[in-house]
Amino acid sequence: MTADPRHALVLFSGGQDSTACLAWALDRFAHVETIGFDYGQRHRVELDCRPRVREAIGAAFPAWAGRLANDHVIDVGVLGRISDTALTAERAIEMQANGLPSTFVPARNLLFLSLAAAVAYRRGLSVLVGGMCETDFSGYPDCRDNTLKAMQVALSLGLAAPMTIETPLMWLDKAATWALAQRLGGDALVGLTVELTHTCYQGDRAHRHAWGYGCGTCPACELRARGFERWRAAGAAA
Ligand code: ZN
């Protein structure tokens, strides 16, 4: 199958979801670059995982290695200074009065997509790929399909250039995201996702579970663990 000739930029955090997105993009597009954001996360573990995951994917999948190109890390420390959230400050992870968890960083994805589009414009890339999802998610309004569609229109108009936003995980639950990794890259991709990607809000790399490293109790760990168990159970039943 010939690759889509468009060049893509994957919003790649080093977590499970964006690793699945990176594999999805490498399977599809002839040229794939990655972008990550340093916004003063309380736990920088995820950022440290990024180069390891990229390297492992390149080593395990020679066909993808030829498509995997530049990585960009953007300093958006300003986001940590203007927002007071459990991801950027010493705050408890809890549900707030507005129905959103305290891990919600207002406008984070809007800012990230704008910056990604600016980098994509300079680099001649016309597809942005993000792991936003509204199926098994924390209720962040900037992960919703309509928000992303509105951003695609705003960016394409504002740049006077087509900028397509692809969100391959939008309608997948976490079990289906594990299944997608299995379909795209088999046991090798599942294995490196378990071993090298990071999801835990607490930055815990000390506790290893079947689904990877993490505290096991924060909302991100709970979602990842439950999805993994459901995916494994479905495989055993099939
Ligand atoms: Zn955790």
Side-chain angles (χ1 to χ4, degrees):
M1 211 175 76
T2 49
D4 186 323
R6 289 177 300 165
H7 290 192
L9 179 62
V10 178
L11 281 74
F12 178 59
S13 69
Q16 179 196 351
D17 290 348
S18 65
T19 296
C21 285
L22 177 56
W24 180 89
L26 288 168
D27 190 50
R28 197 167 247 83
F29 297 103
H31 176 103
V32 177
E33 301 189 12
T34 51
I35 187 168
F37 300 97
D38 183 349
Y39 56 97
Q41 294 93 321
R42 263 169 78 184
H43 303 291
R44 303 179 49 82
V45 183
E46 234 189 21
L47 281 176
D48 298 337
C49 290
R50 299 178 72 260
R52 291 186 208 127
V53 174
R54 276 179 49 102
E55 204 175 303
I57 284 183
F61 303 96
W64 291 352
R67 298 175 173 185
L68 182 57
N70 307 39
D71 183 37
H72 312 269
V73 177
I74 309 295
D75 179 355
V76 280
V78 63
L79 194 54
R81 292 194 291 280
I82 59 175
S83 60
D84 172 30
T85 84
L87 292 192
T88 54
E90 286 295 326
R91 263 187 71 181
I93 298 176
E94 62 196 359
M95 196 53 76
Q96 305 174 128
N98 63 1
L100 287 170
S102 59
T103 49
F104 175 59
V105 181
R108 176 173 51 172
N109 280 325
L110 306 182
L111 181 66
F112 287 2
L113 286 163
S114 298
L115 292 169
V119 170
Y121 187 87
R122 171 167 61 84
R123 299 281 306 156
L125 319 169
S126 62
V127 184
L128 305 179
V129 183
M132 301 80 173
C133 165
E134 71 167 77
T135 306
D136 222 3
F137 76 147
S138 307
Y140 301 159
D142 57 350
C143 289
R144 293 196 176 118
D145 193 44
N146 277 343
T147 307
L148 278 299
K149 287 194 161 69
M151 277 305 279
Q152 171 172 298
V153 173
L155 292 171
S156 297
L157 289 173
L159 295 168
M163 194 61 68
T164 303
I165 299 180
E166 293 278 6
T167 53
L169 311 186
M170 183 57 72
W171 308 110
L172 302 186
D173 63 18
K174 294 290 175 193
T177 303
W178 285 106
L180 175 68
Q182 174 80 47
R183 183 167 61 74
L184 290 168
D187 290 344
L189 186 59
V190 171
L192 77 85
T193 300
V194 167
E195 206 57 43
L196 299 177
T197 71
H198 187 84
T199 308
C200 174
Y201 283 149
Q202 305 292 352
D204 186 325
R205 296 293 293 172
H207 299 95
R208 169 69 152 81
H209 314 264
W211 44 265
Y213 291 90
C215 70
T217 53
C218 76
C221 279
E222 278 183 1
L223 263 181
R224 177 165 167 151
R226 209 177 331 123
F228 187 82
E229 280 151 22
R230 268 189 293 141
W231 168 64
R232 290 278 290 264

